[in-house]
Amino acid sequence: KAGVTQTPRYLIKTRGQQVTLSCSPISGHRSVSWYQQTPGQGLQFLFEYFSETQRNKGNFPGRFSGRQFSNSRSEMNVSTLELGDSALYLCASSLWGGTNYGYTFGSGTRLTVV
Amino acid sequence: SQQGEEDPQALSIQEGENATMNCSYKTSINNLQWYRQNSGRGLVHLILIRSNEREKHSGRLRVTLDTSKKSSSLLITASRAADTASYFCATDGGFGNEKLTFGTGTRLTIIP
Protein backbone atom coordinates (compact mmCIF):
# COMPACT_ATOMS: atom_id res chain seq x y z
CA LYS A 1 0.00 0.00 0.00
CA ALA A 2 1.12 3.58 -0.51
CA GLY A 3 3.14 5.17 2.26
CA VAL A 4 2.83 8.60 3.78
CA THR A 5 3.07 11.21 1.05
CA GLN A 6 4.31 14.72 1.71
CA THR A 7 4.22 17.52 -0.81
CA PRO A 8 6.13 19.41 -1.89
CA ARG A 9 9.53 17.76 -1.25
CA TYR A 10 11.43 21.02 -1.39
CA LEU A 11 10.34 24.60 -0.92
CA ILE A 12 12.11 27.95 -0.89
CA LYS A 13 10.29 30.90 0.62
CA THR A 14 11.13 34.46 1.51
CA ARG A 15 11.07 35.75 5.06
CA GLY A 16 7.63 37.11 5.90
CA GLN A 17 5.75 34.87 3.50
CA GLN A 18 3.51 32.02 4.52
CA VAL A 19 3.65 28.38 3.48
CA THR A 20 1.33 25.38 3.46
CA LEU A 21 2.63 21.83 3.57
CA SER A 22 0.53 18.80 2.77
CA CYS A 23 0.49 15.25 4.10
CA SER A 24 -1.50 12.26 2.90
CA PRO A 25 -1.42 9.46 5.48
CA ILE A 26 -1.56 5.76 4.82
CA SER A 27 -5.08 4.78 3.82
CA GLY A 28 -7.14 4.07 6.93
CA HIS A 29 -4.79 5.85 9.31
CA ARG A 30 -6.61 8.43 11.39
CA SER A 31 -3.78 9.91 13.45
CA VAL A 32 -1.42 12.39 11.81
CA SER A 33 1.48 14.10 13.56
CA TRP A 34 3.90 16.77 12.44
CA TYR A 35 7.53 17.22 13.48
CA GLN A 36 10.17 19.81 12.76
CA GLN A 37 13.77 18.69 12.42
CA THR A 38 16.70 21.12 12.57
CA PRO A 39 20.41 20.55 13.21
CA GLY A 40 20.28 22.65 16.36
CA GLN A 41 17.04 21.53 18.00
CA GLY A 42 16.68 18.05 16.56
CA LEU A 43 13.23 16.53 16.16
CA GLN A 44 10.47 18.52 17.81
CA PHE A 45 6.77 17.75 17.99
CA LEU A 46 4.44 20.29 16.42
CA PHE A 47 0.94 18.80 16.73
CA GLU A 48 -1.15 15.69 16.31
CA TYR A 49 -4.57 15.30 14.76
CA PHE A 50 -7.07 12.48 15.06
CA SER A 51 -10.38 12.45 13.20
CA GLU A 52 -10.09 16.16 12.35
CA THR A 53 -9.43 17.17 15.97
CA GLN A 54 -6.15 18.43 17.35
CA ARG A 55 -5.37 16.13 20.25
CA ASN A 56 -1.89 17.28 21.19
CA LYS A 57 0.16 20.39 20.58
CA GLY A 58 3.85 21.14 20.98
CA ASN A 59 5.54 24.30 22.14
CA PHE A 60 5.58 26.28 18.94
CA PRO A 61 4.32 29.83 18.40
CA GLY A 62 0.88 30.47 16.98
CA ARG A 63 2.41 31.08 13.54
CA PHE A 64 2.40 27.31 13.22
CA SER A 65 -1.02 25.84 12.64
CA GLY A 66 -2.52 22.75 11.15
CA ARG A 67 -5.69 21.00 10.25
CA GLN A 68 -6.97 17.61 9.24
CA PHE A 69 -9.65 16.89 6.70
CA SER A 70 -12.37 14.25 6.77
CA ASN A 71 -10.24 11.97 4.56
CA SER A 72 -7.43 12.22 7.17
CA ARG A 73 -5.22 14.30 4.90
CA SER A 74 -3.49 17.01 6.87
CA GLU A 75 -1.97 20.38 6.17
CA MET A 76 0.27 22.56 8.24
CA ASN A 77 0.68 26.26 7.75
CA VAL A 78 3.44 28.58 8.85
CA SER A 79 2.73 32.29 8.60
CA THR A 80 5.18 35.17 8.66
CA LEU A 81 8.16 32.95 7.97
CA GLU A 82 11.40 33.51 9.81
CA LEU A 83 14.89 32.34 8.87
CA GLY A 84 14.79 29.95 11.82
CA ASP A 85 11.83 28.12 10.32
CA SER A 86 14.16 26.54 7.79
CA ALA A 87 13.92 22.86 8.56
CA LEU A 88 12.82 19.43 7.46
CA TYR A 89 9.14 19.04 8.28
CA LEU A 90 8.05 15.47 8.79
CA CYS A 91 4.56 14.07 8.83
CA ALA A 92 3.76 10.73 10.45
CA SER A 93 0.61 8.64 10.49
CA SER A 94 -0.77 5.83 12.59
CA LEU A 95 -4.01 3.91 12.77
CA TRP A 96 -5.02 5.10 16.24
CA GLY A 97 -1.94 6.72 17.70
CA GLY A 98 1.74 6.12 17.23
CA THR A 99 2.83 5.98 20.82
CA ASN A 100 1.37 2.47 21.17
CA TYR A 101 2.10 1.09 17.75
CA GLY A 102 4.71 3.25 16.09
CA TYR A 103 4.39 5.84 13.39
CA THR A 104 5.00 5.66 9.64
CA PHE A 105 6.82 8.76 8.50
CA GLY A 106 6.82 10.51 5.17
CA SER A 107 10.01 11.61 3.43
CA GLY A 108 9.50 15.17 4.59
CA THR A 109 9.33 18.65 3.12
CA ARG A 110 12.58 20.58 3.25
CA LEU A 111 11.73 24.24 3.74
CA THR A 112 14.35 26.91 3.18
CA VAL A 113 13.57 30.47 4.22
CA VAL A 114 15.76 33.14 2.63
CA SER B 1 13.53 20.40 24.50
CA GLN B 2 14.64 16.85 23.95
CA GLN B 3 14.02 14.32 26.65
CA GLY B 4 16.36 11.68 25.34
CA GLU B 5 20.10 11.81 25.25
CA GLU B 6 21.82 9.26 23.12
CA ASP B 7 25.26 7.89 23.49
CA PRO B 8 27.48 7.84 21.59
CA GLN B 9 26.72 10.72 19.24
CA ALA B 10 28.66 8.95 16.49
CA LEU B 11 29.86 5.40 16.02
CA SER B 12 31.97 3.82 13.27
CA ILE B 13 32.43 0.07 13.07
CA GLN B 14 33.52 -2.54 10.58
CA GLU B 15 30.90 -4.43 8.64
CA GLY B 16 29.96 -7.60 10.48
CA GLU B 17 30.59 -6.17 13.94
CA ASN B 18 27.86 -5.41 16.45
CA ALA B 19 26.73 -1.86 17.19
CA THR B 20 25.31 -0.73 20.51
CA MET B 21 23.74 2.64 21.17
CA ASN B 22 22.19 3.91 24.35
CA CYS B 23 19.36 6.25 25.20
CA SER B 24 18.48 7.94 28.47
CA TYR B 25 15.26 9.77 29.21
CA LYS B 26 13.88 11.86 32.04
CA THR B 27 10.22 11.17 32.76
CA SER B 28 7.97 8.15 33.15
CA ILE B 29 6.89 6.52 29.92
CA ASN B 30 4.40 4.01 28.57
CA ASN B 31 6.50 2.91 25.64
CA LEU B 32 9.85 3.60 24.03
CA GLN B 33 10.52 3.37 20.32
CA TRP B 34 13.57 3.33 18.08
CA TYR B 35 13.68 4.86 14.63
CA ARG B 36 16.25 4.95 11.85
CA GLN B 37 16.82 7.88 9.52
CA ASN B 38 18.85 7.73 6.37
CA SER B 39 20.48 11.01 5.43
CA GLY B 40 17.92 13.80 5.14
CA ARG B 41 14.96 11.48 4.71
CA GLY B 42 12.02 10.28 6.75
CA LEU B 43 12.23 8.10 9.83
CA VAL B 44 11.63 4.38 9.74
CA HIS B 45 10.09 2.69 12.77
CA LEU B 46 12.29 -0.16 13.99
CA ILE B 47 10.88 -1.45 17.23
CA LEU B 48 8.64 -0.51 20.16
CA ILE B 49 9.16 -1.75 23.71
CA ARG B 50 6.54 -1.32 26.40
CA SER B 51 7.35 -0.15 29.89
CA ASN B 52 6.56 -3.58 31.35
CA GLU B 53 9.00 -5.30 28.99
CA ARG B 54 12.73 -5.62 29.63
CA GLU B 55 13.94 -6.93 26.30
CA LYS B 56 12.64 -7.31 22.79
CA HIS B 57 14.05 -8.78 19.60
CA SER B 58 13.33 -8.13 15.95
CA GLY B 59 15.59 -9.76 13.39
CA ARG B 60 19.11 -8.43 14.01
CA LEU B 61 17.82 -5.87 16.51
CA ARG B 62 17.75 -6.29 20.27
CA VAL B 63 16.33 -3.60 22.52
CA THR B 64 16.51 -3.46 26.28
CA LEU B 65 14.67 -1.16 28.63
CA ASP B 66 15.49 -0.35 32.24
CA THR B 67 12.75 1.87 33.62
CA SER B 68 14.47 2.19 37.00
CA LYS B 69 17.45 3.81 35.30
CA LYS B 70 15.34 5.46 32.60
CA SER B 71 17.53 4.04 29.89
CA SER B 72 17.35 1.84 26.82
CA SER B 73 19.84 0.30 24.47
CA LEU B 74 19.66 -0.80 20.85
CA LEU B 75 21.96 -3.56 19.65
CA ILE B 76 22.38 -4.25 15.95
CA THR B 77 24.13 -7.54 15.33
CA ALA B 78 26.19 -8.51 12.28
CA SER B 79 26.08 -4.98 10.88
CA ARG B 80 25.78 -4.29 7.17
CA ALA B 81 26.66 -1.26 5.05
CA ALA B 82 22.93 -0.59 4.67
CA ASP B 83 22.69 -0.04 8.44
CA THR B 84 24.57 3.25 8.01
CA ALA B 85 22.10 5.83 9.29
CA SER B 86 21.13 7.90 12.31
CA TYR B 87 19.24 6.14 15.07
CA PHE B 88 16.83 7.85 17.43
CA CYS B 89 14.99 6.75 20.51
CA ALA B 90 11.58 8.27 21.14
CA THR B 91 9.48 8.32 24.27
CA ASP B 92 5.84 9.14 24.75
CA GLY B 93 4.31 11.55 27.20
CA GLY B 94 2.28 8.97 29.06
CA PHE B 95 -1.11 7.48 28.40
CA GLY B 96 -3.18 9.48 25.94
CA ASN B 97 -0.36 11.84 25.01
CA GLU B 98 0.61 11.31 21.40
CA LYS B 99 3.64 13.55 21.57
CA LEU B 100 6.87 11.69 20.87
CA THR B 101 10.01 13.17 22.33
CA PHE B 102 13.09 12.19 20.38
CA GLY B 103 16.63 11.78 21.55
CA THR B 104 19.58 13.52 20.01
CA GLY B 105 20.44 10.52 17.85
CA THR B 106 23.45 8.33 17.17
CA ARG B 107 25.10 8.57 13.77
CA LEU B 108 26.19 5.02 12.84
CA THR B 109 28.67 4.44 10.02
CA ILE B 110 29.41 0.91 8.84
CA ILE B 111 32.77 0.59 7.13
CA PRO B 112 32.74 -2.05 4.35
PDB file of all heavy atoms in Angstrom, chain B residues 20-45:
ATOM      1  N   THR B  20      26.172  -0.992  19.361  1.00  0.00           N
ATOM      2  CA  THR B  20      25.310  -0.728  20.508  1.00  0.00           C
ATOM      3  C   THR B  20      25.189   0.766  20.726  1.00  0.00           C
ATOM      4  O   THR B  20      26.190   1.479  20.747  1.00  0.00           O
ATOM      5  CB  THR B  20      25.870  -1.377  21.786  1.00  0.00           C
ATOM      6  OG1 THR B  20      25.953  -2.794  21.602  1.00  0.00           O
ATOM      7  CG2 THR B  20      24.951  -1.087  22.967  1.00  0.00           C
ATOM      8  N   MET B  21      23.971   1.231  20.862  1.00  0.00           N
ATOM      9  CA  MET B  21      23.739   2.641  21.169  1.00  0.00           C
ATOM     10  C   MET B  21      22.770   2.731  22.331  1.00  0.00           C
ATOM     11  O   MET B  21      21.902   1.862  22.501  1.00  0.00           O
ATOM     12  CB  MET B  21      23.255   3.401  19.950  1.00  0.00           C
ATOM     13  CG  MET B  21      22.114   2.800  19.214  1.00  0.00           C
ATOM     14  SD  MET B  21      22.096   3.330  17.460  1.00  0.00           S
ATOM     15  CE  MET B  21      23.133   2.089  16.724  1.00  0.00           C
ATOM     16  N   ASN B  22      22.935   3.776  23.118  1.00  0.00           N
ATOM     17  CA  ASN B  22      22.186   3.911  24.352  1.00  0.00           C
ATOM     18  C   ASN B  22      21.349   5.183  24.363  1.00  0.00           C
ATOM     19  O   ASN B  22      21.685   6.175  23.718  1.00  0.00           O
ATOM     20  CB  ASN B  22      23.148   3.941  25.542  1.00  0.00           C
ATOM     21  CG  ASN B  22      24.046   2.724  25.571  1.00  0.00           C
ATOM     22  OD1 ASN B  22      23.588   1.612  25.755  1.00  0.00           O
ATOM     23  ND2 ASN B  22      25.335   2.945  25.366  1.00  0.00           N
ATOM     24  N   CYS B  23      20.283   5.125  25.110  1.00  0.00           N
ATOM     25  CA  CYS B  23      19.364   6.249  25.204  1.00  0.00           C
ATOM     26  C   CYS B  23      18.956   6.426  26.661  1.00  0.00           C
ATOM     27  O   CYS B  23      18.630   5.444  27.333  1.00  0.00           O
ATOM     28  CB  CYS B  23      18.141   5.953  24.333  1.00  0.00           C
ATOM     29  SG  CYS B  23      16.698   6.976  24.642  1.00  0.00           S
ATOM     30  N   SER B  24      18.991   7.654  27.132  1.00  0.00           N
ATOM     31  CA  SER B  24      18.483   7.938  28.468  1.00  0.00           C
ATOM     32  C   SER B  24      17.359   8.958  28.355  1.00  0.00           C
ATOM     33  O   SER B  24      17.380   9.808  27.465  1.00  0.00           O
ATOM     34  CB  SER B  24      19.597   8.478  29.369  1.00  0.00           C
ATOM     35  OG  SER B  24      20.116   9.689  28.850  1.00  0.00           O
ATOM     36  N   TYR B  25      16.388   8.844  29.241  1.00  0.00           N
ATOM     37  CA  TYR B  25      15.264   9.771  29.214  1.00  0.00           C
ATOM     38  C   TYR B  25      14.945  10.222  30.628  1.00  0.00           C
ATOM     39  O   TYR B  25      15.513   9.712  31.591  1.00  0.00           O
ATOM     40  CB  TYR B  25      14.047   9.111  28.552  1.00  0.00           C
ATOM     41  CG  TYR B  25      13.592   7.822  29.198  1.00  0.00           C
ATOM     42  CD1 TYR B  25      12.613   7.817  30.181  1.00  0.00           C
ATOM     43  CD2 TYR B  25      14.142   6.602  28.818  1.00  0.00           C
ATOM     44  CE1 TYR B  25      12.200   6.640  30.777  1.00  0.00           C
ATOM     45  CE2 TYR B  25      13.732   5.419  29.401  1.00  0.00           C
ATOM     46  CZ  TYR B  25      12.767   5.433  30.375  1.00  0.00           C
ATOM     47  OH  TYR B  25      12.362   4.266  30.966  1.00  0.00           O
ATOM     48  N   LYS B  26      14.025  11.197  30.744  1.00  0.00           N
ATOM     49  CA  LYS B  26      13.881  11.864  32.037  1.00  0.00           C
ATOM     50  C   LYS B  26      12.592  11.562  32.784  1.00  0.00           C
ATOM     51  O   LYS B  26      12.572  11.575  34.016  1.00  0.00           O
ATOM     52  CB  LYS B  26      14.004  13.379  31.842  1.00  0.00           C
ATOM     53  CG  LYS B  26      15.358  13.813  31.303  1.00  0.00           C
ATOM     54  CD  LYS B  26      15.378  15.301  30.998  1.00  0.00           C
ATOM     55  CE  LYS B  26      16.714  15.697  30.381  1.00  0.00           C
ATOM     56  NZ  LYS B  26      16.720  17.116  29.933  1.00  0.00           N
ATOM     57  N   THR B  27      11.503  11.340  32.062  1.00  0.00           N
ATOM     58  CA  THR B  27      10.224  11.174  32.755  1.00  0.00           C
ATOM     59  C   THR B  27       9.657   9.776  32.544  1.00  0.00           C
ATOM     60  O   THR B  27      10.145   9.013  31.709  1.00  0.00           O
ATOM     61  CB  THR B  27       9.211  12.218  32.271  1.00  0.00           C
ATOM     62  OG1 THR B  27       8.978  12.024  30.866  1.00  0.00           O
ATOM     63  CG2 THR B  27       9.731  13.630  32.495  1.00  0.00           C
ATOM     64  N   SER B  28       8.606   9.462  33.285  1.00  0.00           N
ATOM     65  CA  SER B  28       7.967   8.149  33.151  1.00  0.00           C
ATOM     66  C   SER B  28       7.362   7.997  31.760  1.00  0.00           C
ATOM     67  O   SER B  28       6.891   8.964  31.171  1.00  0.00           O
ATOM     68  CB  SER B  28       6.877   7.996  34.203  1.00  0.00           C
ATOM     69  OG  SER B  28       7.444   8.022  35.489  1.00  0.00           O
ATOM     70  N   ILE B  29       7.387   6.782  31.269  1.00  0.00           N
ATOM     71  CA  ILE B  29       6.887   6.520  29.922  1.00  0.00           C
ATOM     72  C   ILE B  29       5.945   5.318  29.915  1.00  0.00           C
ATOM     73  O   ILE B  29       5.939   4.512  30.855  1.00  0.00           O
ATOM     74  CB  ILE B  29       8.053   6.242  28.935  1.00  0.00           C
ATOM     75  CG1 ILE B  29       8.825   4.988  29.385  1.00  0.00           C
ATOM     76  CG2 ILE B  29       8.958   7.451  28.814  1.00  0.00           C
ATOM     77  CD1 ILE B  29       9.834   4.494  28.374  1.00  0.00           C
ATOM     78  N   ASN B  30       5.165   5.225  28.848  1.00  0.00           N
ATOM     79  CA  ASN B  30       4.403   4.008  28.575  1.00  0.00           C
ATOM     80  C   ASN B  30       5.197   3.075  27.669  1.00  0.00           C
ATOM     81  O   ASN B  30       5.286   1.887  27.905  1.00  0.00           O
ATOM     82  CB  ASN B  30       3.069   4.330  27.908  1.00  0.00           C
ATOM     83  CG  ASN B  30       2.025   4.772  28.910  1.00  0.00           C
ATOM     84  OD1 ASN B  30       2.071   4.399  30.088  1.00  0.00           O
ATOM     85  ND2 ASN B  30       1.097   5.584  28.460  1.00  0.00           N
ATOM     86  N   ASN B  31       5.751   3.680  26.618  1.00  0.00           N
ATOM     87  CA  ASN B  31       6.496   2.907  25.636  1.00  0.00           C
ATOM     88  C   ASN B  31       7.703   3.693  25.161  1.00  0.00           C
ATOM     89  O   ASN B  31       7.731   4.925  25.245  1.00  0.00           O
ATOM     90  CB  ASN B  31       5.624   2.596  24.409  1.00  0.00           C
ATOM     91  CG  ASN B  31       4.320   1.939  24.776  1.00  0.00           C
ATOM     92  OD1 ASN B  31       4.297   0.944  25.478  1.00  0.00           O
ATOM     93  ND2 ASN B  31       3.221   2.523  24.319  1.00  0.00           N
ATOM     94  N   LEU B  32       8.687   2.970  24.629  1.00  0.00           N
ATOM     95  CA  LEU B  32       9.849   3.602  24.027  1.00  0.00           C
ATOM     96  C   LEU B  32      10.039   2.997  22.648  1.00  0.00           C
ATOM     97  O   LEU B  32       9.865   1.791  22.462  1.00  0.00           O
ATOM     98  CB  LEU B  32      11.093   3.380  24.907  1.00  0.00           C
ATOM     99  CG  LEU B  32      12.393   4.054  24.442  1.00  0.00           C
ATOM    100  CD1 LEU B  32      13.198   4.542  25.658  1.00  0.00           C
ATOM    101  CD2 LEU B  32      13.229   3.162  23.561  1.00  0.00           C
ATOM    102  N   GLN B  33      10.362   3.842  21.696  1.00  0.00           N
ATOM    103  CA  GLN B  33      10.515   3.367  20.321  1.00  0.00           C
ATOM    104  C   GLN B  33      11.895   3.740  19.792  1.00  0.00           C
ATOM    105  O   GLN B  33      12.529   4.691  20.267  1.00  0.00           O
ATOM    106  CB  GLN B  33       9.458   4.031  19.414  1.00  0.00           C
ATOM    107  CG  GLN B  33       8.039   3.842  19.895  1.00  0.00           C
ATOM    108  CD  GLN B  33       7.032   4.540  19.002  1.00  0.00           C
ATOM    109  OE1 GLN B  33       7.152   4.518  17.782  1.00  0.00           O
ATOM    110  NE2 GLN B  33       6.028   5.157  19.609  1.00  0.00           N
ATOM    111  N   TRP B  34      12.339   3.006  18.803  1.00  0.00           N
ATOM    112  CA  TRP B  34      13.567   3.328  18.082  1.00  0.00           C
ATOM    113  C   TRP B  34      13.238   3.512  16.607  1.00  0.00           C
ATOM    114  O   TRP B  34      12.456   2.746  16.020  1.00  0.00           O
ATOM    115  CB  TRP B  34      14.601   2.218  18.240  1.00  0.00           C
ATOM    116  CG  TRP B  34      15.248   2.200  19.595  1.00  0.00           C
ATOM    117  CD1 TRP B  34      14.814   1.558  20.717  1.00  0.00           C
ATOM    118  CD2 TRP B  34      16.457   2.867  19.966  1.00  0.00           C
ATOM    119  NE1 TRP B  34      15.673   1.773  21.764  1.00  0.00           N
ATOM    120  CE2 TRP B  34      16.691   2.576  21.334  1.00  0.00           C
ATOM    121  CE3 TRP B  34      17.382   3.667  19.291  1.00  0.00           C
ATOM    122  CZ2 TRP B  34      17.806   3.072  22.029  1.00  0.00           C
ATOM    123  CZ3 TRP B  34      18.473   4.155  19.982  1.00  0.00           C
ATOM    124  CH2 TRP B  34      18.686   3.851  21.337  1.00  0.00           C
ATOM    125  N   TYR B  35      13.846   4.545  16.038  1.00  0.00           N
ATOM    126  CA  TYR B  35      13.675   4.863  14.625  1.00  0.00           C
ATOM    127  C   TYR B  35      15.032   5.003  13.966  1.00  0.00           C
ATOM    128  O   TYR B  35      16.020   5.358  14.603  1.00  0.00           O
ATOM    129  CB  TYR B  35      12.916   6.186  14.452  1.00  0.00           C
ATOM    130  CG  TYR B  35      11.442   6.108  14.774  1.00  0.00           C
ATOM    131  CD1 TYR B  35      10.988   6.242  16.089  1.00  0.00           C
ATOM    132  CD2 TYR B  35      10.494   5.920  13.765  1.00  0.00           C
ATOM    133  CE1 TYR B  35       9.632   6.181  16.384  1.00  0.00           C
ATOM    134  CE2 TYR B  35       9.139   5.864  14.057  1.00  0.00           C
ATOM    135  CZ  TYR B  35       8.718   5.990  15.361  1.00  0.00           C
ATOM    136  OH  TYR B  35       7.380   5.933  15.648  1.00  0.00           O
ATOM    137  N   ARG B  36      15.050   4.754  12.664  1.00  0.00           N
ATOM    138  CA  ARG B  36      16.248   4.952  11.851  1.00  0.00           C
ATOM    139  C   ARG B  36      15.961   6.033  10.818  1.00  0.00           C
ATOM    140  O   ARG B  36      14.855   6.112  10.282  1.00  0.00           O
ATOM    141  CB  ARG B  36      16.619   3.653  11.126  1.00  0.00           C
ATOM    142  CG  ARG B  36      17.909   3.736  10.313  1.00  0.00           C
ATOM    143  CD  ARG B  36      18.134   2.465   9.494  1.00  0.00           C
ATOM    144  NE  ARG B  36      17.264   2.411   8.332  1.00  0.00           N
ATOM    145  CZ  ARG B  36      16.529   1.347   8.018  1.00  0.00           C
ATOM    146  NH1 ARG B  36      16.561   0.267   8.772  1.00  0.00           N
ATOM    147  NH2 ARG B  36      15.771   1.370   6.947  1.00  0.00           N
ATOM    148  N   GLN B  37      16.964   6.850  10.532  1.00  0.00           N
ATOM    149  CA  GLN B  37      16.817   7.882   9.522  1.00  0.00           C
ATOM    150  C   GLN B  37      18.040   7.867   8.616  1.00  0.00           C
ATOM    151  O   GLN B  37      19.156   8.086   9.087  1.00  0.00           O
ATOM    152  CB  GLN B  37      16.654   9.274  10.143  1.00  0.00           C
ATOM    153  CG  GLN B  37      16.416  10.370   9.110  1.00  0.00           C
ATOM    154  CD  GLN B  37      16.225  11.735   9.740  1.00  0.00           C
ATOM    155  OE1 GLN B  37      16.883  12.073  10.720  1.00  0.00           O
ATOM    156  NE2 GLN B  37      15.320  12.533   9.186  1.00  0.00           N
ATOM    157  N   ASN B  38      17.792   7.601   7.352  1.00  0.00           N
ATOM    158  CA  ASN B  38      18.849   7.735   6.371  1.00  0.00           C
ATOM    159  C   ASN B  38      18.964   9.215   6.014  1.00  0.00           C
ATOM    160  O   ASN B  38      17.996   9.956   6.108  1.00  0.00           O
ATOM    161  CB  ASN B  38      18.570   6.888   5.140  1.00  0.00           C
ATOM    162  CG  ASN B  38      18.676   5.412   5.448  1.00  0.00           C
ATOM    163  OD1 ASN B  38      17.702   4.789   5.862  1.00  0.00           O
ATOM    164  ND2 ASN B  38      19.850   4.855   5.303  1.00  0.00           N
ATOM    165  N   SER B  39      20.122   9.611   5.556  1.00  0.00           N
ATOM    166  CA  SER B  39      20.483  11.014   5.429  1.00  0.00           C
ATOM    167  C   SER B  39      19.378  11.872   4.828  1.00  0.00           C
ATOM    168  O   SER B  39      19.004  11.704   3.667  1.00  0.00           O
ATOM    169  CB  SER B  39      21.753  11.113   4.584  1.00  0.00           C
ATOM    170  OG  SER B  39      22.158  12.448   4.474  1.00  0.00           O
ATOM    171  N   GLY B  40      18.856  12.803   5.635  1.00  0.00           N
ATOM    172  CA  GLY B  40      17.916  13.796   5.145  1.00  0.00           C
ATOM    173  C   GLY B  40      16.571  13.265   4.714  1.00  0.00           C
ATOM    174  O   GLY B  40      15.820  13.957   4.031  1.00  0.00           O
ATOM    175  N   ARG B  41      16.234  12.061   5.132  1.00  0.00           N
ATOM    176  CA  ARG B  41      14.960  11.476   4.713  1.00  0.00           C
ATOM    177  C   ARG B  41      14.080  11.206   5.924  1.00  0.00           C
ATOM    178  O   ARG B  41      14.394  11.588   7.038  1.00  0.00           O
ATOM    179  CB  ARG B  41      15.225  10.209   3.911  1.00  0.00           C
ATOM    180  CG  ARG B  41      16.162  10.442   2.739  1.00  0.00           C
ATOM    181  CD  ARG B  41      16.384   9.205   1.928  1.00  0.00           C
ATOM    182  NE  ARG B  41      15.228   8.884   1.094  1.00  0.00           N
ATOM    183  CZ  ARG B  41      15.240   7.893   0.200  1.00  0.00           C
ATOM    184  NH1 ARG B  41      16.306   7.140   0.066  1.00  0.00           N
ATOM    185  NH2 ARG B  41      14.178   7.642  -0.536  1.00  0.00           N
ATOM    186  N   GLY B  42      12.943  10.556   5.658  1.00  0.00           N
ATOM    187  CA  GLY B  42      12.016  10.280   6.745  1.00  0.00           C
ATOM    188  C   GLY B  42      12.521   9.211   7.691  1.00  0.00           C
ATOM    189  O   GLY B  42      13.480   8.511   7.408  1.00  0.00           O
ATOM    190  N   LEU B  43      11.858   9.094   8.827  1.00  0.00           N
ATOM    191  CA  LEU B  43      12.229   8.102   9.825  1.00  0.00           C
ATOM    192  C   LEU B  43      11.519   6.789   9.561  1.00  0.00           C
ATOM    193  O   LEU B  43      10.386   6.765   9.103  1.00  0.00           O
ATOM    194  CB  LEU B  43      11.863   8.590  11.226  1.00  0.00           C
ATOM    195  CG  LEU B  43      12.789   9.635  11.845  1.00  0.00           C
ATOM    196  CD1 LEU B  43      12.507  11.014  11.277  1.00  0.00           C
ATOM    197  CD2 LEU B  43      12.635   9.654  13.359  1.00  0.00           C
ATOM    198  N   VAL B  44      12.197   5.720   9.878  1.00  0.00           N
ATOM    199  CA  VAL B  44      11.631   4.380   9.743  1.00  0.00           C
ATOM    200  C   VAL B  44      11.512   3.764  11.129  1.00  0.00           C
ATOM    201  O   VAL B  44      12.490   3.710  11.878  1.00  0.00           O
ATOM    202  CB  VAL B  44      12.517   3.496   8.839  1.00  0.00           C
ATOM    203  CG1 VAL B  44      11.977   2.067   8.815  1.00  0.00           C
ATOM    204  CG2 VAL B  44      12.587   4.068   7.433  1.00  0.00           C
ATOM    205  N   HIS B  45      10.326   3.311  11.466  1.00  0.00           N
ATOM    206  CA  HIS B  45      10.091   2.687  12.768  1.00  0.00           C
ATOM    207  C   HIS B  45      10.768   1.320  12.810  1.00  0.00           C
ATOM    208  O   HIS B  45      10.579   0.494  11.920  1.00  0.00           O
ATOM    209  CB  HIS B  45       8.588   2.535  13.001  1.00  0.00           C
ATOM    210  CG  HIS B  45       8.254   1.919  14.317  1.00  0.00           C
ATOM    211  ND1 HIS B  45       7.848   0.614  14.451  1.00  0.00           N
ATOM    212  CD2 HIS B  45       8.271   2.439  15.565  1.00  0.00           C
ATOM    213  CE1 HIS B  45       7.631   0.355  15.712  1.00  0.00           C
ATOM    214  NE2 HIS B  45       7.871   1.439  16.411  1.00  0.00           N
TER     215      HIS B  45
END
